Amino acid sequence: VAEALTKTAVQASSCWTSSFPGISLQSCLQGACLSYRIPPEGSAYSPPTRALTKGRLDVPYFVEDLCPHFFAQIRHLCGVSNERYYAAVCRPDVEFVEFQANSRSGEMFFFSHDGKFLLKTTTRREAETLLRMLPDMVDRFKAAPHSLLGRYLGLYRVFGDDLNYDVLFFVMLSVTQNDLPVHRAYDLKGSSRHRRAKQGEGIKKDVDFTEEMGQLGLSPDIAAELARTHAEDV
């Protein structure tokens, strides 16, 4: 299957180059966008938002799927099927789980109902940076399936003329993909400046990790492999 897909991709690229010389296929794919109008009464591809929100969302709006080609490649490389993705992110009968993050960015964070995916609002500048990085990220995940880079699975925009918001958000693969309980969670950035969690915050930071854990206690072989992977990710 992988060989067939590679062959098809090569043929498509060759066909594009012969048909549109001087126009980059990669740039076009990076700028691609699928737009869906969501009516309040529902449609063949959307639920009835008027009924689900008990009339609170009674106007049409739009959902844009940005750069779908590259994000689909990343989902495939991460072993996330369309069925699994839609069941976790697009189900109308369950709610996302909001959690209080200690991020200084002020963005909103949500987990999917099964805890396997993370949704985070983002700025236009951050979204544009991510889109520029996508081709290199795809190549990195192909070369190093165990890369430490975050798995971005989709970037979306929700807006409408009659809505009072215009929001961008991306979907990421959660770090924890098993059903084991998480006793402690740390958001590590490799810095000690402003990196202590406030009293009562569930997610700790770098200084907390140093004080509470100190070190991971990895074997020399695993530590060396981890350091090498991190260096190559950069």
Side-chain angles (χ1 to χ4, degrees):
V1 174
E3 183 179 352
L5 290 174
T6 301
K7 184 177 180 180
T8 301
V10 172
Q11 291 174 338
S13 179
S14 176
C15 180
W16 175 274
T17 302
S18 62
S19 301
F20 305 100
I23 301 178
S24 169
L25 173 59
Q26 177 174 293
S27 296
C28 290
L29 291 174
Q30 284 177 278
C33 174
L34 300 177
S35 183
Y36 303 93
R37 181 181 183 273
I38 311 298
E41 65 273 13
S43 67
Y45 53 79
S46 63
T49 54
R50 178 188 294 128
L52 288 172
T53 63
K54 298 181 180 180
R56 293 193 301 268
L57 184 54
D58 197 30
V59 295
Y61 62 96
F62 291 87
V63 175
E64 290 183 344
D65 182 0
L66 303 172
C67 202
H69 172 79
F70 282 107
F71 283 116
Q73 286 192 68
I74 292 179
R75 291 197 297 271
H76 173 72
L77 292 170
C78 294
V80 177
S81 66
N82 289 337
E83 292 76 15
R84 179 188 170 196
Y85 190 62
Y86 298 152
V89 179
C90 303
R91 281 181 56 178
D93 59 327
V94 293
E95 296 183 354
F96 294 122
V97 181
E98 182 178 6
F99 72 94
Q100 298 297 321
N102 50 21
S103 171
R104 298 170 65 88
S105 67
E107 302 296 345
M108 299 179 64
F109 295 78
F110 299 88
F111 276 116
S112 59
H113 68 93
D114 59 0
K116 305 302 183 184
F117 300 91
L118 172 70
L119 289 78
K120 176 182 176 292
T121 58
T122 186
T123 63
R124 179 172 180 175
R125 180 178 180 181
E126 186 177 11
E128 290 174 346
T129 300
L130 174 62
L131 293 180
R132 289 195 298 269
M133 294 170 59
L134 280 181
D136 290 334
M137 294 180 72
V138 169
D139 291 341
R140 177 59 181 159
F141 293 145
K142 288 180 179 178
H146 298 296
S147 165
L148 303 176
L149 295 175
R151 268 58 171 178
Y152 291 86
L153 306 181
L155 176 64
Y156 306 93
R157 178 189 176 203
V158 179
F159 68 100
D161 295 336
D162 298 315
L163 295 180
N164 59 359
Y165 60 85
D166 185 335
V167 62
L168 282 163
F169 69 94
F170 53 71
V171 180
M172 296 183 68
L173 193 66
S174 176
V175 174
T176 304
Q177 290 296 306
N178 54 59
D179 296 322
L180 299 175
V182 177
H183 299 94
R184 298 182 182 182
Y186 297 91
D187 174 21
L188 304 179
K189 298 187 181 299
S191 171
S192 59
R193 179 178 172 79
H194 303 305
R195 299 302 299 164
R196 184 190 296 275
K198 296 179 181 179
Q199 185 70 28
E201 289 182 335
I203 299 179
K204 304 297 184 66
K205 298 184 179 181
D206 298 67
V207 175
D208 307 296
F209 177 83
T210 300
E211 294 177 352
E212 297 175 5
M213 301 292 291
Q215 58 184 4
L216 295 176
L218 302 176
S219 68
D221 290 343
I222 294 179
E225 182 180 353
L226 184 63
R228 181 172 59 253
T229 301
H230 181 269
E232 293 174 350
D233 282 341
V234 176

